[in-house]
Each structure stands twice: as structure tokens, then as C-alpha cells.
């Protein structure tokens, strides 16, 4: 049994699966580990969450960030890898998915998770990444 397990640990998919189980990253509701292509090049979803802010991940270009949340939430337009099937996902700073495009109004989710919109004089484009 030890030899079989040792052989399995040599496989990248097995390591990824076991690392997720041991760290809690495989918990329901967490966004998957994903590689993305943005206007700035290739990146990982985890790199986009390093700011400690919310993230509206727009995978089709059809989901702008409404005015009033750009001080707390970043918007990134990206091409998804095979693990992300939604057209847009709102992600909490801890990596949990708190809204998808088919899950009701975006404004309601933004208010629930990130508070009421601020009086945004510069519009939502001021902090949006493309």
C-alpha cells in the first residue's frame, strides 16, 4: 500500500487534490485553482486575490462593476480555463464564491458582502483592471 501511495504522489493531479484536502481549499463554495489570461498576460486566480479585496471576475466582458464598489472590489476581465464555467463570479477575499451571473442581481450580492455602495465620484472604472 505504501508503494502505491508513493507512486500516486508522483502525479501532479494527486498532489493538487491532496493539498486541497489538507489545506481546506477544496471546501464547497471556494473557487477552483485556475489559470487565467487577462489583458496583462497569464496569471493565476490566487494572484488576483492577493490584494485582500473582493474580485468580480468577468469571463465574458459583459459584467461591469456597478458604481460605488470600486474602493472595495476589483474587476478583472479574463479568459477562463476549463474549471470556470460561469460568465462572471464575485469572489470574497478569502476565495469563496459569493455570486455568479445566474445567481440574481449583482448589486444585491455586492451590498451583502461588501456593504452599501459609496458615493463614487470617479465611476467604477477608476480601479477596474482589464
Amino acid at each position: 500500500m505504501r508503494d502505491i501511495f508513493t507512486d500516486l504522489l508522483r502525479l501532479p493531479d494527486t498532489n493538487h487534490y491532496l493539498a486541497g484536502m489538507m489545506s481546506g481549499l477544496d471546501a464547497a463554495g471556494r473557487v477552483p485553482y485556475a489559470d487565467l489570461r487577462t489583458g496583462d498576460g497569464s496569471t493565476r486566480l490566487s494572484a488576483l486575490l492577493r490584494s485582500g479585496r473582493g474580485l468580480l471576475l468577468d469571463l465574458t466582458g459583459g459584467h461591469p462593476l456597478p458604481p460605488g464598489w470600486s474602493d472595495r472590489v476589483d474587476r478583472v476581465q479574463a479568459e477562463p480555463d476549463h474549471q470556470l464555467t460561469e460568465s462572471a463570479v464575485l469572489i470574497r477575499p478569502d476565495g469563496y464564491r459569493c455570486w455568479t451571473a445566474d445567481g440574481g442581481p449583482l448589486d444585491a450580492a455586492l451590498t451583502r458582502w461588501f456593504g452599501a455602495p459609496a458615493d463614487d465620484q470617479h465611476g467604477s472604472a477608476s480601479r477596474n483592471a482589464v
Side-chain angles (χ1 to χ4, degrees):
M1 184 63 112
R2 180 179 294 178
D3 291 337
I4 292 171
F5 197 72
T6 300
D7 287 342
L8 285 173
L9 287 176
R10 290 187 180 115
L11 301 172
D13 288 342
T14 302
N15 277 315
H16 180 71
Y17 176 77
L18 291 174
M21 286 180 57
M22 291 173 27
S23 66
L25 294 177
D26 67 337
R30 286 194 63 95
V31 291
Y33 177 84
D35 292 315
L36 303 167
R37 266 194 322 270
T38 69
D40 294 329
S42 295
T43 189
R44 293 193 170 138
L45 183 55
S46 58
L48 297 176
L49 293 170
R50 286 187 187 141
S51 68
R53 297 163 47 93
L55 175 66
L56 176 60
L57 185 59
D58 183 353
L59 301 172
T60 62
H63 300 279
L65 182 64
W69 282 282
S70 63
D71 61 329
R72 293 159 275 173
V73 178
D74 295 323
R75 177 189 168 270
V76 174
Q77 183 176 335
E79 294 179 27
D81 73 356
H82 65 280
Q83 296 183 53
L84 296 170
T85 58
E86 300 92 348
S87 62
V89 183
L90 181 62
I91 305 167
R92 298 183 337 203
D94 60 358
Y96 280 86
R97 172 185 332 214
C98 56
W99 175 86
T100 60
D102 60 357
L106 176 57
D107 289 7
L110 285 164
T111 300
R112 176 175 182 197
W113 293 104
F114 300 100
D119 182 20
D120 190 354
Q121 298 289 332
H122 303 289
S124 61
S126 62
R127 302 265 313 198
N128 286 353
V130 177

